[in-house]
Amino acid sequence: MEMREERRRVVVTGCGVVSPVGNTTADFWDALLAGRSGVGPVTRFDTSGLPVRIGGEVTGFDWSGCLTPQEARRSDSFTRYAVVAATEALRDAGLEPPAGVDPYRFAAVIGSGYGAASAIQQQYDVLKGQGPRRVSPYHSVLTAIDHPASLLSIKYGIGGPSCAVSAACATGAVAIGEAAELIRHGRADLVLAGGADDSLTAVDLAGTANAQALSRRNDDPEGASRPFDRDRDGFVMATGAAVLTLEEAGHAERRGATILAEVAGYAATTDAHHATAPDPTGAGAVRAMRGALADAGRAPEDVGQISAHGTGTVLNDRIEAAALREVLGPDHLSRTPVTAVKSMTGHMLGASGAAEAVAAVLSLRDRRIPPIRNCDHPEEPDLDLVVKGARDWDGDVVLSNSFGFGGHNAVLVLTRYTG
C-alpha cells in the first residue's frame, strides 16, 4: 500500500513516564519487561466499606526537580504527574531547556480523562468544613483540565497551540494523534503530547465499582488485572502520566536528535452506542484500526505487533479480539504477538494510551515485547499472546489500540524510523 500523499513526517525523540511501576521511562520499561505489577491495596485514603480496595497508585513520586513549591501547591496531582513526565520527555529529547526552538512552532497537547478529581474533592471538603473564604483563589486554575498544558507553556515558553483533549480511556492516544496532525499540517515543528490522570478517589472507586467495571480481587491485587484471561473480572483503576516529544522529522534530523520511532498513522472513531459498554459488533474499533493503517500507508499484513487496549473486562477483551480478527485476518493475527500493558500498570485511564505508546516506542527501539501478566488461562487461543516472559522481536510496525467509555476509539501506528 502506498502513502496517500507526500507529507511532513512525525517522529518521537523523547519519552517521559510517571506510573505505578516506575516514575521514569527506564524504570517503567524495566518493570514491564520483568512482568512486575504496580497494583496493590489503596493507601491514600480509608477504603473501609468500599467494594474495591485495590488500585495502581503512583508511589515514591518526587516533583521537586520540575516544579517550584508554589507551582506544586497550586496544582492537582494529575498536573504534577504530567509536568514531571513532560520534563523527562524534553530531557530525553535533548531539549530541556528547549534552546534554539522557535516558541511559536512549539505546541503542547496534554489530555486527561477525568482531570483534577483529587483537587475538586479537596476543595469541596474545604468549602464544607471551613467555609467559602478558605477555598483556594486558584481553584478555577488548578482544577482546569488544561492546567498541565498551560503550566508547561509558561515553564518552557510554548508559544504555539496548547490545549487539553478528553476522550475517556482513549485520551492519551487521541492527544498523540492530534499533536501529530499539528506537525503534519505545518502548524508546529515540536509538540509535547500525552495524557495524565489521578482519579483514584473514594468517589470514583465506588462509582466505577458500582458500574461493575472493576476487579474485586481485593485479596490478590497483583493478580487482579487479567487481560484476555478466562478468569478476569474487570479492570484495575490506576494513576499516572506519559508524554512523548514529537517532532517534524527534518527538524529532529537538523539538530542531530536521536529518533526513537515514527508516528506513522492515526485514526479515531466513535461507537455511538452506549455510555459505558462497547458496541458489540466492534465496528468502531474496526474502522479505527483500518483508518490508522490506511493513514500510515500500511496493509494489515505489515503489522508486526499489537499493543492491545486489553482492560481485563469481559466485553472489551472479547470485542477487541473479534475486531482484530476482522482487520488482520485469522492467519496473520495468529502469527502477530499481542501484549497488554495494563496487566502490570492497571488502567491509567487518560494516561494509558500514551503510556502504551511509550512502551511501543521502546519495543521498537530495543526489539523486545513485554509480557501479559496474569493471563494464565487465555480465552482467545488463536491470539499469539505474549504470556511467558518478555519476547525478542524484530518487527517494525506496532498497532496500538485505545478504547474508552462513551464509545471513543483511537488507534496509533508506530513504526521504526528509516529516514
Side-chain angles (χ1 to χ4, degrees):
M1 186 180 294
E2 297 296 325
M3 292 293 289
R4 65 180 184 180
E5 60 184 28
E6 191 68 30
R7 64 184 181 189
R8 287 160 55 94
R9 296 171 69 181
V10 182
V11 298
V12 180
T13 56
C15 300
V17 179
V18 172
S19 79
V21 296
N23 296 332
T24 66
T25 300
D27 288 346
F28 168 76
W29 186 232
D30 287 347
L32 294 189
L33 291 177
R36 288 198 298 272
S37 174
V39 178
V42 172
T43 61
R44 57 172 62 185
F45 54 84
D46 183 5
T47 59
S48 301
L50 292 176
V52 173
R53 300 184 296 278
I54 59 174
E57 293 181 313
V58 168
T59 60
F61 177 66
D62 181 8
W63 48 260
S64 61
C66 305
L67 292 160
T68 67
Q70 184 182 69
E71 288 170 335
R73 189 170 60 251
R74 295 175 179 174
S75 299
D76 180 80
S77 51
F78 95 105
T79 295
R80 295 193 289 270
Y81 294 163
V83 171
V84 170
T87 299
E88 185 191 12
L90 281 174
R91 288 174 180 162
D92 192 33
L95 288 168
E96 206 277 326
V101 172
D102 182 346
Y104 299 105
R105 306 288 298 168
F106 187 9
V109 182
I110 308 294
S112 181
Y114 295 87
S118 296
I120 291 170
Q121 180 69 57
Q122 290 163 3
Q123 290 301 304
Y124 175 77
D125 290 344
V126 168
L127 175 65
K128 297 298 288 184
Q130 303 177 45
R133 290 181 61 83
R134 302 300 299 174
V135 172
S136 170
Y138 291 91
H139 174 77
S140 60
V141 174
L142 70 89
T143 61
I145 203 166
D146 71 322
H147 191 215
S150 173
L151 184 53
L152 284 166
S153 72
I154 294 167
K155 289 183 68 64
Y156 291 113
I158 298 172
S162 67
C163 65
V165 298
S166 186
C169 308
T171 293
V174 171
I176 293 167
E178 296 301 325
E181 291 296 297
L182 288 175
I183 293 173
R184 286 179 176 178
H185 291 285
R187 295 172 185 163
D189 297 323
L190 173 68
V191 189
L192 288 172
D197 254 324
D198 185 8
S199 61
L200 195 54
T201 67
V203 169
D204 285 293
L205 202 59
T208 312
N210 290 342
Q212 305 300 311
L214 297 181
S215 171
R216 301 195 178 210
R217 291 175 178 261
N218 294 310
D219 296 330
D220 180 23
E222 292 190 359
S225 187
R226 312 181 71 85
F228 302 107
D229 186 76
R230 283 200 305 267
D231 298 327
R232 65 195 184 278
D233 68 329
F235 74 84
V236 175
M237 190 175 288
T239 65
V243 177
L244 281 68
T245 301
L246 304 184
E247 290 189 65
E248 189 274 323
H251 185 275
E253 289 174 343
R254 285 190 295 276
R255 67 179 190 86
T258 298
I259 294 176
L260 304 173
E262 180 172 1
V263 180
Y266 161 66
T269 64
T270 308
D271 286 350
H273 170 72
H274 189 271
T276 58
D279 179 353
T281 71
V286 168
R287 288 196 309 273
M289 283 187 256
R290 286 177 172 162
L293 287 169
D295 190 44
R298 296 283 189 163
E301 56 267 27
D302 294 331
V303 175
Q305 180 191 152
I306 297 157
S307 175
H309 184 56
T311 59
T313 61
V314 173
L315 280 179
N316 180 272
D317 289 0
R318 287 178 181 169
I319 292 168
E320 183 172 17
L324 286 166
R325 289 187 195 98
E326 184 169 342
V327 173
L328 270 65
D331 290 343
H332 184 63
L333 179 59
S334 69
R335 301 188 300 272
T336 306
V338 179
T339 190
V341 169
K342 293 181 184 72
S343 63
M344 292 165 280
T345 64
H347 194 338
M348 295 163 63
L349 304 173
S352 61
E356 288 152 23
V358 169
V361 167
L362 300 177
S363 185
L364 287 161
R365 183 194 69 182
D366 293 350
R367 301 177 185 270
R368 300 195 76 198
I369 304 175
I372 303 174
R373 184 186 171 94
N374 302 320
C375 191
D376 302 322
H377 305 99
E379 186 182 66
E380 311 290 344
D382 59 327
L383 268 61
D384 182 14
L385 302 171
V386 181
V387 295
K388 295 181 179 179
R391 183 185 299 183
D392 292 338
W393 176 69
D394 197 29
D396 60 4
V397 178
V398 181
L399 185 76
S400 185
N401 288 337
S402 295
F403 310 131
F405 282 176
H408 300 288
N409 307 299
V411 178
L412 298 169
V413 176
L414 296 139
T415 64
R416 198 179 311 282
Y417 182 68
T418 56

